[in-house]
Amino acid sequence: MARKMLIDGEAESVPGVEQGTNFDFDLFIIGAGSGGVRAARFSSNYGAKVGICELPFNPISSETIGGVGGTCVIRGCVPKKILVYGASYGGELEDARNYGWELNEKVDFNWKKLLQKKTDEINRLNGIYKRLLSNAGVKLFEGEGKIVGPNEVEVTQLDGTKLSYTAKHILIATGSRAQRPNIPGQELGITSDEALSLEDLPKRAVVLGGGYIAVEFASIWRGMGSEVDLVFRKELLLRGFDDEMRAVVARNLEGRGINLHPRTNLTQLIKTENGIKVITDHGEELIADVVLFATGRAPNSKRLNLEAVGVEVDKAGAIKVDEYSRTSIPSIWAVGDVTNRMNLTPVALMEASCFAKTVFNGQASKPDYSNIACAVFSIPPLSVVGLSEEQAIEQTKGDLLIFTSTFNPMKNTISGRQEKTEVMKLIVDAETDKVLGASMCGPDAPEIIQGIAIALKCGATKEQFDSTVGIHPSAAEEFVTMRTVTRRVTGSGKPKTNL
């Protein structure tokens, strides 16, 4: 009997598949990153026979190289955060002197040692992910997968031999890859993949881009002592975040010694004896040892044979899916960055979990994209949950109450660091008292906002925040002691331009 799936509470067979058809697998997954591994494990736990394929491991990806664990584990969140930790110690050592630590000798930084430690860790995690699949009873194939029919996948192994498998359901979880701008000399630049594996720490770096990756790598390199120029097209960095918080991040970056070049783009890179000459659209010339392109990512969908099978994609190559992550072909599904919905690792995990519940546990589950917290691991970091002020103005009809607090962290009063990094903000619906959004820029912001996210998910009101007793002394207590309204935004007000 064909396995049933629930959609809106009604059992449904997969269209086009005859009852009683035998398949090699109940589910075959292309891509063993965060979303693929989660879907494989959960589906197997629900009783499905699961196969999964992934490209061979390498820290720097290509169309034919990847690795179990995917971008986040191998060349994304995890190694990036390790480097952020490493870069943060520079400032900590400076601050330590005023806390009584006598650092008499010059402190040197060994980039190669940190790089090796980072590599050791991602190798360890790659092995852990393989064991997770094995322990769940999932069959792992190393090679490139593509779809050759609604229920058939072809895997090209490392030696070129091709294996063909049938599956009742196929899940695409191939993620995305960093892109390069189409400018003369672009081959002289690198992407975040290479930036995480540089043999030598650059003394001079130019970063092109205004998003997460650009801001984070600028912070990392500056924290390690490099001279950094950050070039971006908009007036402010981090488009899509709250404008007020974006300005705070920009001030902090400048305060740490990063040179900002707003409303600027790169037009050409030229190799010289002194390094890479970088020319901007304003005619400015910069010299760098490394030029990082942090100008966006594109879905990994080109080599999957989607068009031949009839799976619809958008202009950017993102796979079109419905609210259950189902593509235009009923037996084929997609989760994670390849769908370009909300490109965050925890979101891919959520989508994969919902997929497994829907298809193999008879529990129709739609991903919920509301109140998803996120963080930019700049130094210091920015973290947010819920609506920005601009989004709240756009999406609500009534008045908004804006609460903000800016102060010098207690730690800085002794260290002498002149950086008002603790900036907190709450957006409140004036009529319902519901907290619509929270933002924080400062040390430990992601750890604090994760807790605030639970409150917003539960629909907490400002009164409930105010009635919560704070932990003293802490920065986090500020979220429950902001009593005075900074400003009231009337319902007739228009959102500020998101610069």
Side-chain angles (χ1 to χ4, degrees), residues 267 279-285:
T267 57
I279 301 176
T280 75
D281 56 359
H282 298 307
E284 186 179 9
E285 293 185 1

Side-chain angles (χ1 to χ4, degrees), residues 89-90 93-94 97 103-110:
Y89 279 106
L93 289 169
E94 290 176 11
R97 288 185 169 89
L103 304 175
N104 297 319
E105 297 181 7
K106 181 178 182 292
V107 179
D108 293 323
F109 173 66
N110 188 328

Side-chain angles (χ1 to χ4, degrees), residues 4 95 105 121 160 187 267 415 419:
K4 299 289 185 180
D95 295 348
E105 297 181 7
E121 178 62 8
E187 70 281 357
T267 57
S415 71
E419 188 174 65

Side-chain angles (χ1 to χ4, degrees), residues 6 31 133 137 144 148 196 201 279 329 371 373 411 434 496:
L6 287 178
L133 291 171
E144 182 178 10
V148 293
L196 290 163
L201 177 68
I279 301 176
I329 301 299
N371 291 317
K411 181 180 177 182
K434 185 176 180 179
K496 294 180 291 183

Side-chain angles (χ1 to χ4, degrees), residues 4-312:
K4 299 289 185 180
M5 153 185 167
L6 287 178
I7 291 289
D8 292 334
E10 296 183 4
E12 176 189 79
S13 297
V14 178
V17 177
E18 293 183 10
Q19 300 291 307
T21 301
N22 292 320
F23 297 98
D24 297 320
F25 294 96
D26 296 314
L27 171 66
F28 198 98
I29 302 171
I30 301 177
S34 299
V37 170
R38 171 64 62 89
R41 293 172 56 219
F42 278 34
S43 297
S44 183
N45 289 339
Y46 292 140
K49 182 181 179 183
V50 182
I52 189 169
C53 69
E54 177 55 70
L55 297 168
F57 172 84
N58 193 289
I60 300 174
S61 69
S62 73
E63 291 182 335
T64 56
I65 291 174
V68 175
T71 296
C72 180
V73 169
I74 299 171
R75 62 192 71 86
C77 329
V78 172
K80 178 269 306 286
K81 188 71 180 292
I82 290 171
L83 297 191
V84 169
Y85 282 135
S88 299
Y89 279 106
E92 294 289 326
L93 289 169
E94 290 176 11
D95 295 348
R97 288 185 169 89
N98 282 332
Y99 275 92
W101 291 91
E102 300 295 341
L103 304 175
N104 297 319
E105 297 181 7
K106 181 178 182 292
V107 179
D108 293 323
F109 173 66
N110 188 328
W111 165 256
K112 290 185 185 297
K113 183 174 183 178
L114 177 59
L115 194 67
Q116 185 58 53
K117 291 286 187 181
K118 181 271 301 181
T119 301
D120 292 345
E121 178 62 8
I122 64 173
N123 285 331
R124 186 184 74 87
L125 292 173
N126 174 249
I128 286 175
Y129 270 69
K130 287 182 177 179
R131 287 195 294 277
L132 287 172
L133 291 171
S134 177
N135 292 342
V138 176
K139 176 66 175 175
L140 172 63
F141 300 89
E142 190 171 59
E144 182 178 10
K146 74 174 184 178
I147 300 172
V148 293
N151 299 96
E152 187 176 358
V153 170
E154 181 182 271
V155 180
T156 303
Q157 299 186 106
L158 302 186
D159 62 3
T161 59
K162 299 181 186 298
L163 305 174
S164 182
Y165 296 99
T166 58
K168 186 164 188 179
H169 297 278
I170 296 170
L171 176 67
I172 302 167
T174 48
S176 61
R177 285 182 58 212
Q179 298 299 292
R180 294 169 176 265
N182 185 22
I183 61 173
Q186 58 93 11
E187 70 281 357
L188 299 174
I190 63 172
T191 68
S192 54
D193 283 12
E194 294 88 357
L196 290 163
S197 298
L198 288 175
E199 288 190 14
D200 298 301
L201 177 68
K203 293 181 179 179
R204 304 161 298 179
V206 171
V207 180
L208 174 63
Y212 287 78
I213 295 171
V215 169
E216 289 169 347
F217 273 101
S219 291
I220 288 167
W221 285 331
R222 182 59 194 151
M224 293 174 177
S226 304
E227 181 182 322
V228 179
D229 288 272
L230 181 53
V231 178
F232 49 100
R233 293 182 298 172
K234 298 288 184 177
E235 176 70 26
L236 289 173
L237 297 154
L238 301 172
R239 181 168 59 90
F241 284 82
D242 187 285
D243 284 353
E244 191 170 10
M245 303 307 288
R246 295 166 71 196
V248 170
V249 172
R251 286 198 301 271
N252 286 340
L253 293 177
E254 285 188 306
R256 295 264 173 162
I258 295 171
N259 304 310
L260 302 187
H261 302 263
R263 302 181 304 279
T264 305
N265 208 342
L266 301 188
T267 57
Q268 188 176 8
L269 305 185
I270 302 170
K271 188 174 183 179
T272 72
E273 291 182 0
N274 297 324
I276 303 170
K277 181 189 289 186
V278 181
I279 301 176
T280 75
D281 56 359
H282 298 307
E284 186 179 9
E285 293 185 1
L286 304 169
I287 293 291
D289 303 306
V290 163
V291 178
L292 171 64
F293 297 134
T295 48
R297 300 177 65 85
N300 266 330
S301 62
K302 288 182 180 179
R303 294 167 64 94
L304 294 172
N305 198 40
L306 299 180
E307 186 177 348
V309 180
V311 174
E312 294 181 4

Side-chain angles (χ1 to χ4, degrees), residues 246-465:
R246 295 166 71 196
V248 170
V249 172
R251 286 198 301 271
N252 286 340
L253 293 177
E254 285 188 306
R256 295 264 173 162
I258 295 171
N259 304 310
L260 302 187
H261 302 263
R263 302 181 304 279
T264 305
N265 208 342
L266 301 188
T267 57
Q268 188 176 8
L269 305 185
I270 302 170
K271 188 174 183 179
T272 72
E273 291 182 0
N274 297 324
I276 303 170
K277 181 189 289 186
V278 181
I279 301 176
T280 75
D281 56 359
H282 298 307
E284 186 179 9
E285 293 185 1
L286 304 169
I287 293 291
D289 303 306
V290 163
V291 178
L292 171 64
F293 297 134
T295 48
R297 300 177 65 85
N300 266 330
S301 62
K302 288 182 180 179
R303 294 167 64 94
L304 294 172
N305 198 40
L306 299 180
E307 186 177 348
V309 180
V311 174
E312 294 181 4
V313 299
D314 66 15
K315 292 180 180 179
I319 298 174
K320 295 181 180 181
V321 293
D322 65 13
E323 55 193 350
Y324 291 97
S325 299
R326 199 175 207 169
T327 73
S328 53
I329 301 299
S331 58
I332 301 177
W333 311 70
V335 297
D337 286 13
V338 75
T339 64
N340 198 29
R341 284 176 283 183
M342 184 178 285
N343 298 337
L344 297 169
T345 295
V347 173
L349 296 176
M350 172 183 67
E351 291 169 356
S353 300
C354 290
F355 159 81
K357 289 178 184 177
T358 299
V359 179
F360 295 110
N361 199 40
Q363 184 182 353
S365 302
K366 305 174 185 178
D368 179 5
Y369 298 96
S370 64
N371 291 317
I372 292 175
C374 64
V376 180
F377 289 99
S378 50
I379 301 175
L382 166 68
S383 191
V384 304
V385 64
L387 302 180
S388 67
E389 183 176 341
E390 293 72 40
Q391 290 168 334
I393 293 171
E394 199 171 79
Q395 295 179 27
T396 58
K397 295 181 180 179
D399 291 4
L400 296 172
L401 304 179
I402 311 299
F403 296 82
T404 61
S405 178
T406 302
F407 57 95
N408 198 30
M410 181 178 178
K411 181 180 177 182
N412 289 1
T413 61
I414 301 299
S415 71
R417 181 174 293 278
Q418 298 301 308
E419 188 174 65
K420 288 186 179 296
T421 57
E422 299 288 7
V423 181
M424 300 180 180
K425 183 173 184 176
L426 289 176
I427 315 293
V428 179
D429 187 308
E431 182 178 353
T432 65
D433 198 43
K434 185 176 180 179
V435 180
L436 303 177
S439 304
M440 176 180 175
C441 185
D444 301 316
E447 312 296 336
I448 294 169
I449 289 293
Q450 180 67 82
I452 300 293
I454 300 171
L456 265 65
K457 199 74 175 174
C458 294
T461 63
K462 183 63 167 63
E463 183 181 7
Q464 289 171 322
F465 270 64

